Amino acid sequence: PCEDVSWLSESPTSGLLMARESQDVTVVFDATGLDVGEYNAFLMIHTNDEGHPMAFVPCHLTVTEPEPRPLQLAVNEENYGCPDNEILVPIYVNSLDMMNITSLGMTVSVDSTVGQPVDVDAMMGDISSLSFAGGSVTFTVSNDFPLPGDGPIAVVHIQIDRDAIVGTRTSITLSDISY
């Protein structure tokens, strides 16, 4: 017996054509929920042609493991602040889509003679761990559901040292990335 398969659909599913007419049919292959492997089926077309009352179109679907996507984190290198003031440094994430990451940890560091991280605001989820050490902060942003795709994941507050020389440049680095 012929049965529908969940991974194959067509539109329209029926129609009427006169001689020498044609009709486009959209066929959709959908691997959602399928295990890795090979899938085969036939698209069965009924006709009123007495010589060919049915036509069978073979359909083949190969489901593979998704390609690993590199996690991309970035921080704006151009952050300016005056001595004894606080600056806000957003940490941006790209490519979280479809990675099913619910927790992302990292360390943000700055030259401790220039400034000290003093706080972190989560922009996606909540801060689930937070610790400070000379010139760095280590934290984890967690969520009950997978973290969304792109944008700022957190904002780090850095207090500029009151003795910092105006115009001093220092880099802000990201390390110890975990998920």
Side-chain angles (χ1 to χ4, degrees):
C2 298
E3 296 179 15
D4 281 339
V5 292
S6 64
W7 53 270
L8 187 65
S9 63
E10 64 282 338
S11 178
T13 58
S14 65
L16 180 63
L17 298 173
M18 297 303 187
R20 296 189 234 327
E21 287 185 326
S22 66
Q23 168 77 48
D24 287 337
V25 176
T26 301
V27 178
V28 176
F29 293 74
D30 183 1
T32 304
L34 296 178
D35 292 329
V36 171
E38 304 287 325
Y39 295 83
N40 293 291
F42 287 96
L43 183 61
M44 186 170 49
I45 302 170
H46 296 272
T47 74
N48 61 358
D49 181 342
E50 292 177 12
H52 302 95
M54 270 188 220
F56 295 93
V57 179
C59 299
H60 178 81
L61 174 65
T62 301
V63 178
T64 60
E65 289 287 340
E67 299 226 2
R69 298 180 60 190
L71 179 65
Q72 299 173 351
L73 292 169
V75 63
N76 182 358
E77 292 287 330
E78 301 294 323
N79 293 288
Y80 301 98
C82 295
D84 208 25
N85 282 314
E86 184 176 280
I87 63 171
L88 303 178
V89 179
I91 308 299
Y92 294 94
V93 63
N94 294 321
S95 75
L96 277 178
D97 292 8
M98 314 242 319
M99 290 182 74
N100 290 321
I101 294 174
T102 57
S103 182
L104 179 61
M106 69 189 75
T107 297
V108 178
S109 303
V110 63
D111 181 343
S112 62
T113 64
V114 175
Q116 296 287 331
V118 294
D119 197 10
V120 179
D121 297 323
M123 306 305 286
M124 298 179 185
D126 298 305
I127 300 293
S128 59
S129 69
L130 180 66
S131 64
F132 297 92
S136 67
V137 59
T138 301
F139 63 93
T140 302
V141 176
S142 298
N143 198 350
D144 292 336
F145 302 99
L147 295 167
D150 301 328
I153 191 163
V155 175
V156 177
H157 298 244
I158 298 177
Q159 179 68 40
I160 304 299
D161 190 273
R162 74 170 30 118
D163 296 326
I165 298 170
V166 174
T168 300
R169 296 184 70 131
T170 186
S171 61
I172 298 170
T173 58
L174 303 175
S175 62
D176 303 322
I177 310 301
S178 63
Y179 53 93

